[in-house]
Amino acid sequence: MTHKNIDINEGGYSIRSLLYYGKDLKTVDHVVIATYGFGGVKENHAIEKFAERIIGKYKNYGVITFDWPCHGADARKKLDLSECLTYLDLVIQYIRANINPDKIYNYSSSFGAFVTLDYLSKKGNPFDRIGLRCPAIKMYDALTGTLSEDDWSKLNKGKEILMGFDRKMKIGSDFLSQMKEADVTKNDYIDFADSILMIQGTSDQMVPIDATIQFSEDNVIELIQVEGADHPFSNPKHMDLAIAKFIEWFQD
């Protein structure tokens, strides 16, 4: 498998991206956009493993991932949900202009799944199929549930706090307000239901599966529950199962 770093420079943004493919990019006619969770980076082990498996099985597939605003090597300092939507939009445009595949898929986890759902509600569905692992259906609750009294005190005074894992980023009360307003449980996704598959572990402690079950029932979306799997699918057997299901889902 080949990987290539790409900078997508459009609209005043520079999106640091990573493209996986086989020996020849010219043979790629199916592309999966893969996004990760809050505070992660494009050099994501789970995405790399998914790319190795799907490209190893289908030589005409490629996988592209990128750094969200304020994540990884991105130059922005303050996180804004609208810019996350813009980044995803610009990556889609780049793929169409430079690879022009027959099919474009979306494979996203956690925060990335939340952004994807928000994108669908605001911009429509550009993807042939979508696979969401451990989707953060209630992302606002997931974020605010980790805040301390000191964090809330700073936010209430108009100050910013630092959040994240691989890289700390500035979060203000305006971003949290954006997340609260972008409540995907209030949207109707029934028109997109046939193109979405969700997988989540029953032992997910970061984003409770109950919210995902309710969301899947409300929108008639297929949900595969993996018994005992945690939020990051840290058990290799659980991750192998999820990857196999998504590869089958993305098979043309």
Side-chain angles (χ1 to χ4, degrees):
M1 182 176 71
T2 304
H3 69 273
K4 180 181 181 182
N5 287 295
I6 299 168
D7 287 347
I8 301 175
N9 299 306
E10 293 289 342
Y13 300 102
S14 182
I15 305 173
R16 310 298 172 85
S17 309
L18 184 58
L19 176 64
Y20 297 99
Y21 57 97
K23 292 183 180 180
D24 188 357
L25 184 56
K26 293 179 181 178
T27 64
V28 172
D29 55 13
H30 291 63
V31 174
V32 182
I33 297 176
T35 76
Y36 50 83
F38 184 83
V41 293
K42 66 180 179 299
E43 294 83 6
N44 180 286
H45 177 68
I47 290 177
E48 183 179 11
K49 190 174 185 179
F50 167 78
E52 286 176 349
R53 298 281 176 84
I54 196 167
I55 293 169
K57 191 169 185 179
Y58 303 111
K59 305 302 181 184
N60 60 325
Y61 278 61
V63 176
I64 188 169
T65 183
F66 59 94
D67 282 326
W68 290 117
C70 302
H71 289 63
D74 186 74
R76 307 193 86 70
K77 303 299 182 184
K78 187 175 178 181
L79 193 57
D80 183 280
L81 179 58
S82 65
E83 290 186 339
C84 293
L85 300 178
T86 298
Y87 272 37
L88 181 55
D89 204 33
L90 290 174
V91 171
I92 295 168
Q93 292 178 33
Y94 175 87
I95 291 169
R96 286 173 172 164
N98 293 274
I99 301 177
N100 191 27
D102 295 332
K103 300 286 180 70
I104 298 177
Y105 306 108
N106 180 297
Y107 168 50
S108 294
S109 62
S110 197
F111 173 70
F114 169 83
V115 175
T116 297
L117 289 170
D118 191 40
Y119 184 97
L120 295 180
S121 69
K122 292 173 178 174
K123 296 178 177 289
N125 185 15
F127 308 110
D128 290 276
R129 285 199 170 184
I130 299 165
L132 305 178
R133 181 171 61 82
C134 53
I137 299 299
K138 294 192 174 182
M139 190 66 208
Y140 174 80
D141 292 348
L143 286 176
T144 57
T146 65
L147 299 182
S148 66
E149 289 185 12
D150 185 54
D151 289 331
W152 280 115
S153 178
K154 290 178 180 178
L155 290 168
N156 290 333
K157 292 177 182 177
K159 297 181 180 180
E160 296 170 342
I161 60 173
L162 294 176
M163 296 185 71
F165 300 101
D166 295 295
R167 170 184 162 184
K168 298 294 183 182
M169 64 195 85
K170 292 180 180 179
I171 299 294
S173 58
D174 52 346
F175 174 73
L176 293 179
S177 295
Q178 291 172 3
M179 301 302 287
K180 189 174 185 178
E181 184 178 347
D183 183 352
V184 299
T185 64
K186 295 180 179 179
N187 301 328
D188 184 349
Y189 293 92
I190 291 179
D191 288 346
F192 310 132
D194 289 344
S195 63
I196 301 175
L197 171 67
M198 300 192 299
I199 299 178
Q200 188 168 353
T202 59
S203 297
D204 193 327
Q205 307 239 332
M206 292 187 70
V207 288
I209 194 170
D210 289 349
T212 310
I213 292 172
Q214 187 63 56
F215 181 81
S216 68
E217 291 176 351
D218 291 343
N219 293 281
V220 200
I221 294 172
E222 182 179 0
L223 169 63
I224 296 175
Q225 300 182 46
V226 181
E227 189 66 33
D230 57 12
H231 186 68
F233 277 59
S234 53
N235 185 320
K237 291 183 179 179
H238 293 156
M239 181 61 81
D240 287 344
L241 172 62
I243 288 176
K245 291 292 185 181
F246 283 128
I247 289 177
E248 181 182 354
W249 180 241
F250 293 139
Q251 180 184 356
D252 185 12

